[in-house]
Amino acid sequence: MAENHDADALVTSTDPLHPANLIPELCASFYRLGWVTGTGGGICIRTGDKVYIAPSGVQKERIEPSHIFVLPYPQPDPSPHTDRIFLRRPKLNLKESACTPLFWNAFEKRNAGSCIHTHSQNAVMATLLWEGDLFEISHQMIKGVRTGGNGKTLSYLDTLKVPIIANTPDEEDLKDSMAEAMEKYPDAAAILVRRHGIYVWGDDWQKAKTQTECLDYLFEIGVKMKLAGIPTVLNN
Amino acid sequence: MAENHDADALVTSTDPLHPANLIPELCASFYRLGWVTGTGGGICIRTGDKVYIAPSGVQKERIEPSHIFVLPYPQPDPSPHTDRIFLRRPKLNLKESACTPLFWNAFEKRNAGSCIHTHSQNAVMATLLWEGDLFEISHQMIKGVRTGGNGKTLSYLDTLKVPIIANTPDEEDLKDSMAEAMEKYPDAAAILVRRHGIYVWGDDWQKAKTQTECLDYLFEIGVKMKLAGIPTVLNN
Amino acid sequence: MAENHDADALVTSTDPLHPANLIPELCASFYRLGWVTGTGGGICIRTGDKVYIAPSGVQKERIEPSHIFVLPYPQPDPSPHTDRIFLRRPKLNLKESACTPLFWNAFEKRNAGSCIHTHSQNAVMATLLWEGDLFEISHQMIKGVRTGGNGKTLSYLDTLKVPIIANTPDEEDLKDSMAEAMEKYPDAAAILVRRHGIYVWGDDWQKAKTQTECLDYLFEIGVKMKLAGIPTVLNN
Amino acid sequence: MAENHDADALVTSTDPLHPANLIPELCASFYRLGWVTGTGGGICIRTGDKVYIAPSGVQKERIEPSHIFVLPYPQPDPSPHTDRIFLRRPKLNLKESACTPLFWNAFEKRNAGSCIHTHSQNAVMATLLWEGDLFEISHQMIKGVRTGGNGKTLSYLDTLKVPIIANTPDEEDLKDSMAEAMEKYPDAAAILVRRHGIYVWGDDWQKAKTQTECLDYLFEIGVKMKLAGIPTVLNN
């Protein structure tokens, strides 16, 4: 156990861009967008060898820096499911986000610096109206999305494809199917979970956040188009 | 009458989490969500033997701590309808929330520490589109909702069922039918009132609020699904 | 002309509930609700013999107390259309709201203390989907609305009826048809203007505002019901 | 290159209405309206011979005055596409908005003092439901829109027409087709870009902003009407 009595310094900073300050601010902003109501969803940030993660099952618009967990990256067990190692844990009786193994997928498979999980209704409706294992849309403002989530930006002439995986009762049990979808679709910038939400990653929190916004915009307009009977994929 | 000249101390605190400070803050937040516009709806908080309740018929986003009523719990009459006993009343010409007997149902039948009432359009539309006496949905993010509102959380594989009772012209006349529905459906986490709104409770204000958010999310997605012709209950 | 060099004192107060402070605050709040975008709409407040009115054609979310007009009530011409008398005018090149004669209808015919005009899309859609000269709804949360806008509150068992008048190119030309509708329907709490918006009044700004919220809620749910094929008026 | 070491003074002011302060504030407000999520969209302001422009590809709700570019107007090349001249550039590794040549269209062809670009879903849906090269609506609150964006305001009895041009993969390649549409429709107050968004201009930032609000309102109500089967253009 790498904890020491200076561990609280890891989440104490006057810099508003420090991960321990950013996570509460961004979660409050996501709450106002309807992405993380009812304690669901959140964001993690990795800065090199440290991962900052919010607690599980708490009101995401009321997180404080002292609630943040800090984990070393990598972990001895590459996909920590149990017996995780921490650099800092809150004194309160809190558990780290149940999304932790899913966030780890983004770190390990895309070298992500941040990963966001939302329960956005636009994402969920997209998984209901696109019945196969891919959400697809073309000829919309997709150029804010990057190939694989960390490559070059898509062109207006590309078709955006986001894999959809089946939900499981326990969040952590999504780990393997999310990993498989990331391997099967190396260009995918995110993974949708049917009847549940989405995981989006990026090189840093800014890119993860702006890509989440772009994708959510595309799910929203795609759902509107589908319900209005407008085709969502065109040939060039 | 248990009032004394120190009664105002019951609603005076610098702690933002004191019920007299929380109720105004949460009501303002509910206003922005569209849950309590036009003076309707609100939240009460019970801390052991004291109940904090907002006034009736006032703008819920402009409540101040000095407007809060404090009642002892229990009351001599177990379901106080008239002649309620107060520990503290506002000096203004205000009346306690007309929801008081409904909130008391939650205290008496579920040992709730908080109860929320909203006029959310998602809840009302759900009562119009689900024509029987139950709203039902499965295979959505229902795991933030607890059995009976205070038990273990539901699983993704469970079907959420929320009883729907008929509305009455006067709020307090819902007391008996709400109580009956709570007895008939001991696992129900909330009671919908057709063409009116919902009552949701929890062990404390956090659990009442996050369950209200989860349920509202489920009514919203359920209404969208129903209007799009998507089944809202699946077999496992 | 009753103006004197102390006229600015009429709009200078440290009391947040002074009309010159309330009007900017409420207009900013109405902007966030989508009621007064693009400079349209607003609120006036009358305190006995003084009427406070915002300027015409300005961004309603950026009004300052110094922009407020103050007029004596009554005016020599009972329905001032031109040559209005002012107690205070802003130094900037501003004109009083084009709604002034419509607000005067509410003062003269209902003794209102405040009148609100919105371009809410819920109100406009209601005027498109209710093709006659009345919007009607029953068995919804109408009990926040008062008979005539200033009488006793409606019951859940009443049917709410709001007259709809035709729009005119110039706002002030609505004065006579609004007045006629108010006389024809003395119980009406507001007047809808087809393809334009609504005028709502009350004894004071609180009652005007909460009734506007109730009515807007009813237009919103009514439009949703109509589009979903649900009857909006039931027999008791 | 006209830069000198006092260039930062061009974006340093305690006046909240200075363009370098206004652009961040307005972009944050547009973000809350859903107009500029995912780094898309923005506003430029021209005060006589200086043009203030936000950076490309950044979170529009987090711009700071120090991020603003200042360009002289006119430029040696009248439609600067490359080799632009700057009075001030941010020290960070930023590029000026990709909308710059489109904003220049508004300056050169309408003598605009400000131009706004949004990715509003209302605008995009309008371009999908109006299949020709014009969005048209009548008998709605169009009187906040000016002929040509800078002339007299439209009347309730006029029909608003907004040209729709085809999108291109690169924003700057819209320059010529936008210019052509502005010449073909000299009365147009804005240019819609199909499956992308809108460009709106005005004599100053207030007029550009209020016209953008009016137009967005009209796209929103127009889309609702079209989906409800209500005609959007009437004969007088």
Side-chain angles (χ1 to χ4, degrees), chain A residues 25 156 206 209 213 217 224, chain D residues 31 38 59 61-62 119:
Chain A
E25 181 199 340
Y156 178 69
Q206 292 98 327
K209 171 176 165 290
E213 290 174 357
Y217 175 100
K224 288 179 186 170
Chain D
Y31 177 81
Q59 298 178 83
E61 79 279 18
R62 288 178 169 264
H119 290 188

Side-chain angles (χ1 to χ4, degrees), chain A residues 22 25-26 33 139-141 143 156-157 205-206 209-210 213-214 217 220-221 224-225 228 230 234, chain D residues 31 34 37-39 59 61-62 119-121 124-125 128-129 167-171 194-196 227:
Chain A
L22 264 177
E25 181 199 340
L26 293 172
L33 292 170
H139 294 82
Q140 284 291 345
M141 292 311 288
K143 64 191 186 191
Y156 178 69
L157 301 178
W205 68 269
Q206 292 98 327
K209 171 176 165 290
T210 56
E213 290 174 357
C214 285
Y217 175 100
E220 183 180 356
I221 201 99
K224 288 179 186 170
M225 291 170 75
I230 301 169
L234 301 183
Chain D
Y31 177 81
T37 56
T39 82
Q59 298 178 83
E61 79 279 18
R62 288 178 169 264
H119 290 188
S120 163
Q121 298 221 345
V124 173
M125 282 301 290
L128 293 167
L129 292 170
N167 194 28
T168 54
D170 290 310
E171 197 104 11
R194 182 158 279 136
R195 298 169 175 278
H196 176 163
L227 292 176

Side-chain angles (χ1 to χ4, degrees), chain B residues 89-110:
Chain B
R89 283 191 292 200
K91 293 188 178 56
L92 300 166
N93 184 22
L94 295 171
K95 212 177 145 349
E96 70 274 23
S97 168
C99 304
T100 301
L102 297 316
F103 292 154
W104 236 260
N105 275 341
F107 303 150
E108 293 179 340
K109 294 190 179 303
R110 295 287 200 278

Side-chain angles (χ1 to χ4, degrees), chain A residues 4-13 65-66 87-91:
Chain A
N4 63 57
H5 71 285
D6 288 333
D8 284 355
L10 291 171
V11 296
T12 307
S13 168
S66 64
L87 297 174
R88 194 264 170 187
R89 283 191 291 199
K91 292 188 178 56

Side-chain angles (χ1 to χ4, degrees), chain D residues 122 125-126 129-130 218-227:
Chain D
N122 297 320
M125 282 301 290
L129 292 170
W130 274 255
L218 293 165
F219 300 140
E220 183 179 355
I221 200 98
V223 166
K224 287 178 186 170
M225 292 171 74
K226 190 83 112 179
L227 292 176

Side-chain angles (χ1 to χ4, degrees), chain C residues 128-205:
Chain C
L128 293 167
L129 291 170
W130 275 254
E131 295 184 2
D133 66 351
L134 281 180
F135 169 87
E136 294 186 86
I137 198 164
S138 79
H139 294 82
Q140 284 291 343
M141 291 311 286
I142 66 175
K143 63 190 187 193
V145 182
R146 291 169 186 275
T147 305
N150 57 4
K152 66 178 178 54
T153 53
L154 295 179
S155 152
Y156 178 69
L157 301 178
D158 292 327
T159 296
L160 173 78
K161 301 184 187 198
V162 184
I164 307 173
I165 62 174
N167 194 28
T168 53
D170 290 309
E171 197 103 11
E172 45 268 37
D173 294 338
L174 291 168
K175 180 173 173 51
D176 289 346
S177 57
M178 175 181 169
E180 279 167 36
M182 292 174 77
E183 279 157 28
K184 182 171 173 189
Y185 297 101
D187 289 350
I191 301 291
L192 282 161
V193 185
R194 182 158 278 135
R195 297 169 176 279
H196 176 161
I198 191 166
Y199 284 87
V200 188
W201 54 84
D203 284 349
D204 50 33
W205 69 268

